Amino acid sequence: MLASQDLEGSDEKRPSVQIGDPFRGKALIEVSLDLVEQGLVVSLQDCGAAGLASSLSEMASDGMGVDVHLDRVPLREAGMEPWEIMVSESQERMVAVVSPERLADVQAVCARWELPCTVIGEVTDHGELCALFDDEVIGSIPAGLLTDECPRYVVEQQPKETRRAPVAPVNDEPKTWVFEQYDQLVGSRTSVGRLDAAVLRIDGTRGIAVTLDGPPLGCRDPREAGFRAVLDAAMNVACAGGEPLALTDCLNFGNPEKAEIGWELAEAIEGISLAAESLGVPVVSGNVSLYNETGGAPIPPTPVVGCVGLVRDVTRIPDRWRRGDRLLLLRGSGHGLVEFTWRHAHLFSLAHDVSDGGAALALREAADWSGLAAEVDLVEGEGVIVATTRRFPGTTSSSWSRGLDVRRLRGSGRRRAMSRA
């Protein structure tokens, strides 16, 4: 509901924003994995945007139908109307289609994680999403009209002039104090926290690298915002030794019913598409947060992109630079540099992309992370800073870096006094 209404001057709607329960959410993730790995479910959907209306209509597509008894749905608060139960979203609930003979096994898995499990309906062959309350039909619609056959409308678009906004120096300050207040590693299989992305161990030495990124600070061009958010996220994964495999996005914009915002939304989507195609990586999911305006002023175009990548060996990926390492700036951008970085990550003791704040800030972040400072001849430019024992171009050991614009950041390491913001 929040993605389709303007909250300006409407305080009574603000409590509908859900307060998350990370521990319940973690248990739900584990239950979902158990159910899938044991083959106990025919279908599994989250209850995110549009709640049961969305998840059940998707399950009922392809000619099937669903009867859902809304009076059987567990409620967080009493007195909810049937339509509210149908569309309320929850981040700590999943809907599963289960064969009757496997129901007891599913209930056992849920009980092991102390999660409630309730039968709320049945799969049918009538092709309708049918809502009942006290065994009375209160609404029914062909499921296809809520999925592939749903009505579509064209958002009016009006291009506008964009220019970069000034960026305050405070944006270069460390942000670690925000998330280090909490235990960000508990129960998450985190192998190691990295400078650019988290690395989670899957099995043996295999893992995945995960990161989130957004547009460059001050960027107001929506197509550039979408394009750069994708490439920066992919580069973060590559710097952690991961091959980018999939993307997800969250599109944060103002009111799309205004032609200029509709244009921003379309342009950002095009930028995301162009970057994903260049990487050869699919966008597998996404959501929106629209109507973000206060006093008639919209937020800047803010597409946020998540990227996940495969790490083939979590024991041979970049971490911290070491005394005696050579520091190089691999200058460039785009999918070619992303691919080069993850393919050669095993050669680097550290890899860190140059983004907001330039090479100077990237070096400072790398030094703080490594606990070892470096005296360098600063070279500016887009790209990736790497630390390696390999020789830099011009020597007999530089074949691995042929075709790149590689600049050496000369210097030697010394111990650095650490400080926390």
Side-chain angles (χ1 to χ4, degrees):
M1 293 177 67
L2 294 180
S4 59
Q5 294 187 13
D6 194 330
L7 297 184
E8 184 69 22
S10 182
D11 290 338
E12 70 273 12
K13 294 177 184 174
R14 297 184 189 278
S16 63
V17 178
Q18 182 191 12
I19 299 175
D21 182 344
F23 293 101
R24 177 63 64 91
K26 171 60 178 173
L28 184 62
I29 291 173
E30 295 300 332
V31 165
S32 300
L33 291 173
D34 279 353
L35 294 177
V36 172
E37 290 172 357
Q38 296 182 44
L40 298 179
V41 293
V42 178
S43 179
L44 190 67
Q45 286 273 7
D46 67 90
C47 281
L52 290 171
S54 174
S55 57
L56 294 179
S57 62
E58 292 178 359
M59 288 177 162
S61 60
D62 298 328
M64 302 302 293
V66 168
D67 288 346
V68 55
H69 299 265
L70 297 177
D71 52 301
R72 302 179 188 175
V73 177
L75 304 180
R76 187 175 61 178
E77 56 184 73
M80 293 180 67
E81 296 290 334
W83 71 267
E84 293 177 305
I85 300 173
M86 194 68 176
V87 301
S88 293
E89 63 180 83
S90 171
Q91 304 306 318
E92 280 90 41
R93 292 188 180 190
M94 300 288 286
V95 180
V97 174
V98 180
S99 300
E101 62 271 17
R102 307 306 299 270
L103 179 59
D105 295 329
V106 170
Q107 292 172 329
V109 171
C110 292
R112 185 163 65 250
W113 290 93
E114 300 182 347
L115 289 182
C117 174
T118 306
V119 177
I120 63 170
E122 305 84 27
V123 176
T124 68
D125 58 2
H126 54 50
E128 302 268 325
L129 174 56
C130 183
L132 301 95
F133 201 93
D134 290 336
D135 292 325
E136 179 183 350
V137 176
I138 58 174
S140 185
I141 185 174
L145 293 180
L146 297 177
T147 53
D148 295 336
E149 301 172 21
C150 66
R152 300 176 183 270
Y153 64 93
V154 178
V155 176
E156 185 180 352
Q157 300 179 35
Q158 177 61 53
K160 68 175 184 179
E161 181 181 355
T162 62
R163 59 183 62 180
R164 296 191 67 82
V167 178
V170 69
N171 287 282
D172 292 341
E173 295 301 315
K175 313 295 190 304
T176 52
W177 65 270
V178 177
F179 56 84
E180 287 186 350
Q181 297 181 56
Y182 311 95
D183 190 342
Q184 73 274 17
L185 303 180
V186 63
S188 61
R189 301 182 183 178
T190 303
S191 171
V192 281
R194 297 294 176 183
L195 188 54
D196 293 82
V199 177
L200 284 66
R201 189 186 301 273
I202 301 175
D203 53 47
T205 59
R206 289 197 313 160
I208 58 173
V210 184
T211 191
L212 288 172
D213 216 318
L217 295 175
C219 177
R220 297 296 182 264
D221 183 314
R223 182 174 295 205
E224 179 188 359
F227 189 86
R228 287 290 301 274
V230 170
L231 285 181
D232 288 353
M235 182 58 75
N236 287 340
V237 164
C239 286
E243 175 187 2
L245 294 182
L247 303 165
T248 186
D249 60 40
C250 177
L251 305 179
N252 306 280
F253 289 83
N255 183 352
E257 297 174 38
K258 298 178 180 178
E260 290 185 347
I261 305 301
W263 172 78
E264 288 184 347
L265 183 59
E267 285 291 293
I269 294 171
E270 182 64 19
I272 292 172
S273 176
L274 291 172
E277 288 176 358
S278 72
L279 291 166
V281 175
V283 179
V284 298
S285 63
N287 63 4
V288 298
S289 176
L290 305 177
Y291 297 85
N292 294 292
E293 301 187 1
T294 302
I299 65 169
T302 313
V304 175
V305 173
C307 183
V308 61
L310 174 64
V311 178
R312 290 172 172 79
D313 187 346
V314 298
T315 67
R316 302 183 64 209
I317 55 178
D319 186 12
R320 293 170 169 83
W321 63 35
R322 301 181 291 265
R323 189 180 303 277
D325 281 348
R326 294 177 174 85
L327 302 185
L328 308 175
L329 173 61
L330 312 181
R331 297 214 301 187
S333 62
H335 66 278
L337 185 57
V338 171
E339 181 177 357
F340 177 88
T341 302
W342 71 258
R343 285 190 180 278
H344 294 85
H346 63 284
L347 300 176
F348 308 141
S349 53
L350 175 141
H352 183 37
D353 71 320
V354 178
S355 55
D356 298 314
L361 178 59
L363 285 166
R364 190 183 79 192
E365 292 171 341
D368 286 343
W369 172 256
S370 301
L372 188 67
E375 295 178 341
V376 302
D377 297 331
L378 185 63
V379 178
E380 286 291 355
E382 284 188 294
V384 177
I385 291 174
V386 301
T388 180
T389 57
R390 295 294 182 106
R391 295 182 180 275
F392 58 93
T395 72
T396 58
S397 301
S398 63
S399 59
W400 61 275
S401 60
R402 283 175 185 161
L404 283 180
D405 180 8
V406 180
R407 304 297 175 92
R408 184 179 182 190
L409 307 173
R410 301 174 183 275
S412 58
R414 67 176 189 279
R415 282 290 170 188
R416 175 190 172 93
M418 300 295 291
S419 63
R420 292 285 182 183

